[in-house]
Amino acid sequence: MIQLTRLSRRAKSIAMMVVLLMIGVVNHGWAQSEVRLVKNENEQRVDVLIGGQLFTSYIYPSATKKPVLYPLRTAKGTVVTRGFPLESRPGERIDHPHHVGLWFTYGDVNGLDFWNNSDSIAPDKRNAYGTIVHKKINKTTDGKDKGELEVTAEWVTPEGIALLREDTRFVFSGDAHTRSIERITTLTALTQEVLFKDNKEGMLGIRVARQLEHPSNKPELFTDASGQVTNVPSMNNEGVTGLYHSSEGKQGDDVWGTRGKWVNLAGTMNGENISLVIMDHPKNVGHPTYWHARGYGLFAVNNLGQKAMSNGKEELNFKLAPGKSVTFRHKVLIHSGEQLQDGQIKTAYQKFASGR
């Protein structure tokens, strides 16, 4: 066998490239990067570093009324989530202050609105809203190809009664072009039956940066489950390039209120082509899920809301008896470089669906 030291410089280079490809190529042809999680409980955060670069942080300040991942970045470091209300940026919208980073919640749980809660709710109206309270970090695991964060939270009434225990495991990974989040959330009813009344406000959501919104030249009004109306004004569309595309072939605003296994939001930020994909696991209740994807920047998957999405043709009022649990699995891909094609997303989805 010819030794590497005896090869020409060109041959050495080729041989080394082959070795690198053989030992670690995954996820779109690139070796996975090391993932490290850094806890800072005084600042109520866990930072997630991939390949030594900050990807996102799990944060749980009381002002957000729920734990969130904020912000989300591409492999190049570009922030794909909106800054408001935590860090407002010029030119972005300042509507829906409860849309922060990436979150998981719901609009009607035993009559309480967990989705729309934020610090902006007037004190005399807060008795209609629930809060998801972070309780503890159970485990952090670093790894050469993935990192994991396990946390526990409680879904709490205004009187401080815990309706649900939430146990969530995040799996983070990435390579030279991609960042990935798997969120596995188990909700357990505690001392009483819990009703998730059919509601369009849910469940896993991301509020994206202005450049990934759909271009729009008209103002719009949106009404939440409590009847509150939010005005979303028309804005300058320069640099706004987002477009939704679903597994079922729906495009743009037509994605809202339709079912699908996954949806890809593709756009360009400062010359960087970006694909932001959310996947719904086939074992989830309501699969294939309805999509609560709005052109103004709300990108959400709603497993339990069907009535509004189907114009009243379907309705799912999901219940959990005391002590019973339900698990939801979702995956988020953030890819930069060449925008992902349907075939690539289908391959990644099959790996997610099969547990690989």
Side-chain angles (χ1 to χ4, degrees), residues 264-323:
N264 176 25
L265 175 58
T268 303
M269 297 184 67
N270 302 319
E272 179 182 354
N273 292 322
I274 295 170
S275 296
L276 176 56
V277 182
I278 302 179
M279 301 179 181
D280 180 52
H281 197 278
K283 291 185 179 180
N284 286 345
V285 175
H287 179 84
T289 185
Y290 275 104
W291 292 88
H292 188 22
R294 298 290 197 185
Y296 67 79
L298 170 63
F299 186 11
V301 47
N302 191 347
N303 296 93
L304 301 182
Q306 300 184 1
K307 188 174 182 179
M309 310 289 189
S310 66
N311 291 319
K313 296 176 183 178
E314 303 173 45
E315 187 169 355
L316 175 62
N317 293 303
F318 185 77
K319 294 180 181 179
L320 279 179

Side-chain angles (χ1 to χ4, degrees), residues 90-93 208-217 233-243 265-271 294-297 339:
E92 68 179 11
R93 301 186 193 269
V208 301
R210 173 67 178 144
Q211 295 95 321
L212 295 179
E213 295 177 15
H214 281 185
S216 175
N217 57 10
S234 61
M235 299 175 69
N236 182 357
N237 287 319
E238 184 177 355
V240 179
T241 61
L243 182 68
L265 175 58
T268 303
M269 297 184 67
N270 302 319
R294 298 290 197 185
Y296 67 79
Q339 289 180 347

Side-chain angles (χ1 to χ4, degrees), residues 24 55 101 140 197 227 325 347:
F55 165 45
T140 60
K197 188 175 180 180
S325 301
T347 299

Side-chain angles (χ1 to χ4, degrees), residues 88-159:
S88 293
R89 297 192 290 264
E92 68 179 11
R93 301 186 193 269
I94 54 170
D95 56 79
H96 299 84
H98 49 280
H99 293 172
V100 183
L102 185 153
W103 67 93
F104 182 96
T105 183
Y106 195 66
D108 192 331
V109 182
N110 282 13
L112 294 171
D113 185 351
F114 283 80
W115 176 271
N116 288 288
N117 198 6
S118 74
D119 244 9
S120 68
I121 300 298
D124 62 335
K125 295 182 178 179
R126 290 179 182 172
N127 61 350
Y129 295 85
T131 303
I132 302 177
V133 180
H134 168 86
K135 301 302 291 185
K136 61 179 178 178
I137 298 168
N138 299 312
K139 186 178 181 181
T140 60
T141 305
D142 300 340
K144 292 184 178 180
D145 59 356
K146 67 179 181 180
E148 299 190 11
L149 169 65
E150 297 179 23
V151 295
T152 294
E154 289 181 346
W155 295 42
V156 178
T157 71
E159 296 77 25

Side-chain angles (χ1 to χ4, degrees), residues 195-245:
L195 168 64
F196 297 83
K197 188 175 180 180
D198 199 304
N199 191 288
K200 72 179 178 66
E201 310 285 16
M203 292 185 68
L204 179 128
I206 303 174
R207 185 61 191 262
V208 301
R210 173 67 178 144
Q211 295 95 321
L212 295 179
E213 295 177 15
H214 281 185
S216 175
N217 57 10
K218 63 179 183 178
E220 298 181 80
L221 297 175
F222 294 92
T223 305
D224 67 22
S226 302
Q228 291 187 328
V229 178
T230 299
N231 176 34
V232 180
S234 61
M235 299 175 69
N236 182 357
N237 287 319
E238 184 177 355
V240 179
T241 61
L243 182 68
Y244 291 116
H245 176 72

Side-chain angles (χ1 to χ4, degrees), residues 25 58 69 105 108 123 129 202 205 209 215 254 257 272 321 336 352-353:
V25 175
Y58 171 83
L69 294 181
T105 183
D108 192 331
Y129 295 85
D254 290 340
E272 179 182 354
S336 66
F352 171 56

